Amino acid sequence: MTVNVVSTGEAFEFTPENVAWAKQQIAKYPEGRQASAVMPLLHKAQEQNGGWLSKEALEYVGDFLDVPYMRVLEVASFYTMYNLKPVGKHVIEVCTTTPCWLRGSDEVVAACKKALGIGFGETTEDGEFTLLEVECAGACVNAPVMAYGGEYYEDLDADSTTRIIEAIRRGEKPKAGPQIDRQASAPVGGPTTLQNIARGEG
Ligand code: FES
């Protein structure tokens, strides 16, 4: 696999607040194991850098942790939550792995493409939206699922997907979680087991 890294030619460094935050993360790990903080630091660098990691940001994280650039790039290029090229203001990630696919992710993908006018890996011309395809988001019980703004939008179909995108476009933060009448990951229609046990008995 070829990994393309984009250089902006501009130095990257954490804000003073993010330096303090990064040091707190590193302090969670034993002496000499600071490299274990690579993932939270990459997240913070991505957040500060407008949603993506430039070559300079990757190098900065490597220097901050005193680990080789290549080790940082290995992590950043393995996980889909790290973006190695510029993204739009709103990043929508649609899961298309088997459980989501079986539960209708094709419909969700089609609704996203129609509402945004772009395909996977693309950004709208106005720079507002990027659409990404991701592997299992770990929420299969509520498939099909998409992620946006640090939240999961679950139990989607074409209508709810379109509604969510339109709400984001209007500047709203749509309600996250199941988009059908379901409590969290409980069975649709309510509990199916242990219904006769009074509160406190178990
Ligand atoms: S397959 Fe989509 S959340 Fe697991």
Side-chain angles (χ1 to χ4, degrees):
M1 184 180 84
T2 307
V3 177
N4 293 316
V5 179
V6 179
S7 168
T8 61
E10 291 174 18
F12 174 91
E13 62 177 21
F14 277 147
T15 60
E17 296 76 29
N18 286 349
V19 167
W21 182 91
K23 286 181 177 170
Q24 281 175 2
Q25 304 310 305
I26 293 169
K28 292 177 182 172
Y29 299 96
E31 189 62 37
R33 302 286 180 188
Q34 72 277 11
S36 300
V38 65
M39 293 186 73
L41 263 64
L42 283 173
H43 272 294
K44 191 55 84 179
Q46 178 163 282
E47 183 186 293
Q48 187 185 312
N49 198 47
W52 69 289
L53 291 161
S54 61
K55 183 167 188 285
E56 290 78 8
L58 295 169
E59 288 170 341
Y60 179 82
V61 169
D63 291 345
F64 203 100
L65 294 171
D66 196 22
V67 298
Y69 165 74
M70 190 48 64
R71 296 280 308 280
V72 177
L73 180 58
E74 283 170 358
V75 175
S77 59
F78 179 79
Y79 293 102
T80 55
M81 68 272 251
Y82 300 118
N83 301 312
L84 296 179
K85 64 179 186 179
V87 292
K89 191 165 137 200
H90 307 287
V91 178
I92 294 184
E93 300 172 311
V94 184
C95 174
T96 57
T97 304
T98 312
C100 278
W101 176 68
L102 287 169
R103 295 272 300 157
S105 65
D106 281 354
E107 202 183 318
V108 174
V109 172
C112 286
K113 289 181 175 175
K114 187 171 172 206
L116 299 173
I118 52 173
F120 279 138
E122 296 177 351
T123 298
T124 53
E125 272 182 19
D126 59 7
E128 284 290 301
F129 287 90
T130 294
L131 181 61
L132 299 175
E133 179 177 34
V134 296
E135 299 295 330
C136 180
C140 320
V141 71
N142 290 70
V145 168
M146 69 182 189
Y148 163 71
E151 304 275 9
Y152 279 179
Y153 294 83
E154 306 162 336
D155 297 307
L156 296 165
D157 60 14
D159 287 348
S160 53
T161 302
T162 306
R163 219 169 38 240
I164 289 164
I165 291 174
E166 284 171 355
I168 297 169
R169 194 175 263 138
R170 289 194 299 270
E172 298 167 9
K173 180 85 198 252
K175 180 183 153 292
Q179 301 299 309
I180 59 173
D181 186 18
R182 176 214 286 259
Q183 184 192 2
S185 299
V188 175
T192 57
T193 58
L194 305 176
Q195 297 181 66
N196 300 322
I197 296 180
R199 203 176 277 275
E201 279 185 22

